[in-house]
Amino acid sequence: MFSVAVVEDDPITLDIITDALETKLDAVVYPFTRSKFARDFLLQQTSESISLIISDQVMPDYDGLSLLKTCHSSGLNVPFLLITADPNKDLVMEARKLQVSGFLAKPLNMEELIQKSKEAVSQTN
């Protein structure tokens, strides 16, 4: 079992992701619709307390890559999956520099989400 922080400003999408992770992977999920609250939570985590972060890119307050930078600067280096509806070249290049573990395109495919989550977590174990 592992723990996942999910940051998605659309509550319906967040519920679908949370349900998929809990039922298919038996994961403990920390869901956030507000990136500001997610940022505060992530600043208190370690690689022992959180196994994976899944974040939307476009959100109010902090976008996905800003959250990733915050995690890195606080010493939290765990797999990070980025959800985006617009995987443009600049975003992909910036994300690769920041060592994003993978991308999930919107509309989300839950099987792909589960598979990429498993792969990301298994690479750190």
Side-chain angles (χ1 to χ4, degrees):
M1 186 164 67
F2 59 93
S3 56
V4 185
V6 181
V7 191
E8 166 58 68
D9 59 337
D10 177 58
I12 294 169
T13 303
L14 181 63
D15 284 348
I16 293 168
I17 294 169
T18 300
D19 182 62
L21 292 168
E22 288 176 345
T23 57
K24 299 212 186 324
L25 293 179
D26 196 27
V28 174
V29 179
Y30 301 99
F32 295 93
T33 54
R34 308 244 338 250
S35 61
K36 185 173 179 254
F37 295 146
R39 180 183 180 275
D40 294 345
F41 171 81
L42 292 169
L43 285 171
Q44 299 173 29
Q45 301 309 304
T46 67
S47 56
E48 285 78 42
S49 64
I50 198 92
S51 311
L52 173 66
I53 300 164
I54 300 174
S55 177
D56 191 11
Q57 170 56 19
V58 178
M59 298 179 290
D61 296 323
Y62 299 99
D63 64 29
L65 292 182
S66 295
L67 287 175
L68 180 56
K69 288 176 189 173
T70 297
C71 291
H72 285 178
S73 66
S74 72
L76 179 62
N77 292 307
V78 297
F80 193 102
L81 297 176
L82 188 67
I83 300 170
T84 181
D86 180 27
N88 65 63
K89 185 179 177 188
D90 290 340
L91 174 65
V92 171
M93 297 296 282
E94 179 71 13
R96 293 275 182 238
K97 272 193 252 175
L98 293 170
Q99 300 172 325
V100 164
S101 305
F103 293 92
L104 295 162
K106 283 187 175 178
L108 289 174
N109 173 318
M110 285 305 120
E111 292 305 314
E112 181 184 21
L113 172 96
I114 296 304
Q115 187 59 40
K116 286 192 176 188
S117 296
K118 281 186 200 171
E119 289 169 5
V121 171
S122 70
Q123 289 173 358
T124 60
N125 293 336

